[in-house]
């Protein structure tokens, strides 16, 4: 990795700590855990003991007070060894963010400390069989009944499924209102009526369980509703604005890990009496991969720095004033991070797919084999173009924000100014 990013001493320490765990605890088991679709509980314990789950959360809730940059550094280093095992860290981040962003002070204090310590893992569940890219089609229902909502229906494709204790679940409280009828809830494992259905068998990230969640007359206390009724899709979008750089970091780590393994191989593999790294065709692939990775990393780190500069004072203000982060954001200048975070995910995930494909090619036949690590990187890379919104959806959102910006820049008063 290029040394042009001016990380602070603490960020370097966090990055190094994550890389040590990746080398010592993840690398030796990644193949077998992928093969057996086994969840890495021992690695989770090591990450918790090293305080990694706390690096990006506020001190008020047991965090270390860092931000997105610290989170991204950890995810990238873990994913350099294994994108699937790294998800035990990253998917919990996706589950904790809506609580941090849309939860009230009581909910933040109730749920975040156990997630910051790694004692519990979180998960995020918006997808359904008939509501993927289009979350307005949510069919799972939540009906108010006194002090509870009664949830019925199923959610699909939930990362950290079954291993997490704390689930942020989206259900419709008023189907006739479509997008404005969806509401977010925190549902704890063990709540009667909440069970786990099908476990998916996947192409990649196989060390992370992807489950269906089933709700049958599941009574969730009103105090577990995040923000107001009908604000579920705002909750999801605000979360994605802050979480997509995490997927980008996973993709970047996968790309870097694949290139590291490939570089080691091509220097010692000889054909036609010379190392294959001496062929210009191979050198151009290496150069393209390294350049692509560094371009994506520059975008990701720059965005994470900018987002932290903006968001960390917002978190502090919300905590100091006993307010909800989303309200503090709304009361501010209205800045949204939708475009920048989508660009990070788009760029890094396309880079991961490009680089891992090139790496398999550079390694030749061995690159295609299960007992050589490069094919796994390629399988793991693919999901980063799909989840938290496919890359088609990222492009839609980037374009929508560009058009919005253009419209506001060409308002008569803006032109006059
Ligand atoms: C391994 C795995 C883990 C996951 N983890 C989670 C999780 O933890 N929590 C969770 O809630 N979900 C999770 N998901 C779900 C994931 O976010 C969705 O699969 C994804 O958003 C796409 O939805 P879909 O699969 O229904 O595809 P669809 O929406 O059916 O899309 C199919 C194709 O149509 C394209 N398309 C759809 N609409 C448009 C449009 N408007 N413009 C252009 N193209 C479009 C898509 O880009 C895609 O190519 C996970 C999925 C997988 C595979």
């Amino acid at each position: 990795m290029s040394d042009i990013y001016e990380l602070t001493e603490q960020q370097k320490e966090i990055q190094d700590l994550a890389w040590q765990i990746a080398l010592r605890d993840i690398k030796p088991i990644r193949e077998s855990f992928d093969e057996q679709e086994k969840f890495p509980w021992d690695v989770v314990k090591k990450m918790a003991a090293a305080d990694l789950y706390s690096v990006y959360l506020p001190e008020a809730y047991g965090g270390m007070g860092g931000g997105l940059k610290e989170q991204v550094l950890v995810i990238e280093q873990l994913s350099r060894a294994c994108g699937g095992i790294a998800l035990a860290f990253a998917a919990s981040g996706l589950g904790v963010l809506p609580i941090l962003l849309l939860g009230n002070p009581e909910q933040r204090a109730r749920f975040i400390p156990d997630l910051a310590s790694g004692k519990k893992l979180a998960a995020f569940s918006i997808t359904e069989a008939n509501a993927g890219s289009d979350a307005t089609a949510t069919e799972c229902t939540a009906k108010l009944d006194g002090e509870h909502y009664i949830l019925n229906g199923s959610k699909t494709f939930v990362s950290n499924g079954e291993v997490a204790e704390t689930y942020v679940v989206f259900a419709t409280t008023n189907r006739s209102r479509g997008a404005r009828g969806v509401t977010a809830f925190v549902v704890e494992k063990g709540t009667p009526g909440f069970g786990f259905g099908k476990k998916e068998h996947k192409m990649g990230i196989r060390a992370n369980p992807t489950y269906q969640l089933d709700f049958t007359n599941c009574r969730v206390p009103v105090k577990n509703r995040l923000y107001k009724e009908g604000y579920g899709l705002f909750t999801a979008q605000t979360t994605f604005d802050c979480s997509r750089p995490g997927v980008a970091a996973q993709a970047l780590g996968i790309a870097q890990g694949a290139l590291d393994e490939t570089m080691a191989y091509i220097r010692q593999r000889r054909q036609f009496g010379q190392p294959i790294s001496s062929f210009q065709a191979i050198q151009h692939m290496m150069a393209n991969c390294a350049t692509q990775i560094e371009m994506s990393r520059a975008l990701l780190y720059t965005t994470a720095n900018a987002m932290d500069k903006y968001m960390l004072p917002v978190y502090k203000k919300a905590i100091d004033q006993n307010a909800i982060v989303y309200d503090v954001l709304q009361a501010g200048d209205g800045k949204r991070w939708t475009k920048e975070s989508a660009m990070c995910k788009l760029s890094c995930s396309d880079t991961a797919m490009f680089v891992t494909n090139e790496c398999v090619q550079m390694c030749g036949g061995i690159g295609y084999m299960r007992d050589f690590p490069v094919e796994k990187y390629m399988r793991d890379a693919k999901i980063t173009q799909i989840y938290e919104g496919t890359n088609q959806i990222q492009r839609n959102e980037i374009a929508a924000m560009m058009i919005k910006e253009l419209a506001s820049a060409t308002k008569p008063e803006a032109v006059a100014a």
Side-chain angles (χ1 to χ4, degrees):
M1 170 182 146
S2 173
D3 191 20
I4 57 175
Y5 297 108
E6 298 180 357
L7 303 185
T8 65
E9 282 312 308
Q10 195 182 24
Q11 286 169 344
K12 282 185 196 157
E13 272 172 37
I14 289 169
Q15 185 186 43
D16 188 55
L17 187 59
W19 180 232
Q20 291 313 317
I21 289 179
L23 275 180
R24 197 184 52 228
D25 302 307
I26 298 181
K27 227 175 160 182
I29 62 163
R30 63 183 176 187
E31 256 177 64
S32 64
F33 276 53
D34 176 71
E35 193 68 33
Q36 297 165 40
E37 300 186 339
K38 210 166 139 186
F39 186 73
W41 278 117
D42 285 346
V43 179
V44 169
K45 282 184 197 141
K46 299 254 168 60
M47 291 194 290
D51 280 334
L52 285 191
Y53 284 97
S54 75
V55 295
Y56 59 96
L57 292 168
E59 284 166 315
Y61 306 113
M64 277 169 56
L68 180 61
K69 183 70 171 290
E70 284 74 13
Q71 186 183 21
V72 153
L73 290 171
V74 172
I75 295 173
E76 181 188 354
Q77 295 309 313
L78 300 175
S79 303
R80 256 174 92 186
C82 177
I85 292 179
L87 204 52
F89 177 85
S92 199
L94 178 61
V96 75
L97 268 177
I99 302 174
L100 178 61
L101 292 163
L102 278 299
N104 60 37
E106 183 278 325
Q107 291 168 329
R108 291 196 303 249
R110 186 153 47 103
F111 294 116
I112 297 179
D114 281 349
L115 301 171
S117 69
K119 187 175 163 201
K120 291 181 178 175
L121 299 180
F124 177 96
S125 176
I126 192 163
T127 306
E128 294 184 3
N130 295 318
S133 300
D134 179 12
T136 63
T138 297
E139 290 172 355
C140 184
T141 56
K143 198 167 176 296
L144 187 61
D145 179 32
E147 285 305 298
H148 290 82
Y149 283 90
I150 304 176
L151 266 63
N152 277 294
S154 289
K155 310 296 290 183
T156 49
F157 297 172
V158 182
S159 302
N160 268 357
E162 211 260 337
V163 295
E165 298 283 332
T166 308
Y167 294 78
V168 172
V169 177
F170 294 78
T172 175
T173 35
N174 186 344
R175 202 174 283 165
S176 67
R177 298 201 70 208
R180 299 228 171 214
V182 178
T183 305
F185 302 90
V186 181
V187 187
E188 293 176 273
K189 189 176 179 180
T191 308
F194 170 25
F196 299 97
K198 184 183 176 207
K199 180 182 177 184
E200 301 293 340
H201 301 291
K202 310 190 292 288
M203 171 196 281
I205 58 162
R206 287 159 54 91
N208 191 274
T210 311
Y211 264 91
Q212 175 176 315
L213 310 185
D214 292 324
F215 299 95
T216 313
N217 295 326
C218 174
R219 296 179 76 82
V220 176
V222 170
K223 66 177 184 173
N224 282 20
R225 186 190 68 216
L226 286 180
Y227 208 65
K228 302 172 196 164
E229 261 194 25
Y231 277 75
L233 297 191
F234 290 100
T235 306
Q237 188 60 56
T238 310
T239 302
F240 290 145
D241 288 353
C242 296
S243 67
R244 282 173 177 161
V247 180
Q250 181 191 27
L252 192 62
I254 291 170
Q256 185 66 63
L259 187 58
D260 294 344
E261 297 285 355
T262 301
M263 292 299 295
Y265 177 74
I266 62 179
R267 286 190 63 206
Q268 55 83 29
R269 171 71 173 169
R270 296 177 73 84
Q271 289 293 281
F272 299 97
Q274 50 195 311
I276 58 171
S277 60
S278 67
F279 300 129
Q280 195 182 48
I282 298 282
Q283 290 177 355
H284 284 188
M285 282 195 269
M286 284 161 45
N288 286 341
C289 288
T291 306
Q292 202 67 44
I293 287 173
E294 222 52 71
M295 279 162 54
S296 292
R297 182 176 285 125
L299 175 64
L300 177 61
Y301 285 13
T302 307
T303 303
N305 282 340
M307 285 181 67
D308 281 341
K309 205 168 160 192
Y310 188 91
M311 291 300 293
L312 291 178
V314 172
Y315 293 144
K316 185 176 177 326
K317 193 167 175 186
I319 292 164
D320 290 349
Q321 297 181 354
N322 240 6
I324 294 175
V325 171
Y326 182 73
D327 287 337
V328 174
L329 274 175
Q330 293 298 104
D333 61 6
K335 167 74 186 150
R336 304 290 308 267
W337 294 94
T338 310
K339 186 176 83 175
E340 293 85 349
S341 63
M343 283 177 166
C344 288
K345 176 174 142 37
L346 177 64
S347 167
C348 292
S349 62
D350 281 358
T351 289
M353 213 52 234
F354 169 79
V355 167
T356 54
N357 188 32
E358 293 290 273
C359 286
V360 169
Q361 193 66 25
M362 282 190 268
C363 294
I366 194 77
Y368 197 73
M369 299 302 165
R370 277 278 162 114
D371 49 12
F372 191 73
V374 171
E375 63 84 35
K376 178 178 169 306
Y377 283 105
M378 187 172 168
R379 288 189 285 110
D380 288 347
K382 185 63 203 170
I383 191 59
T384 63
Q385 292 182 314
I386 295 175
Y387 61 14
E388 289 191 39
T390 65
N391 279 8
Q392 287 71 39
I393 297 298
Q394 308 303 315
R395 287 181 174 91
N396 290 353
E397 291 188 9
I398 293 164
M401 293 307 283
M402 289 168 67
I403 290 165
K404 206 170 155 190
E405 285 165 10
L406 190 66
S408 60
T410 50
K411 269 187 191 159
E413 60 273 27
V415 172

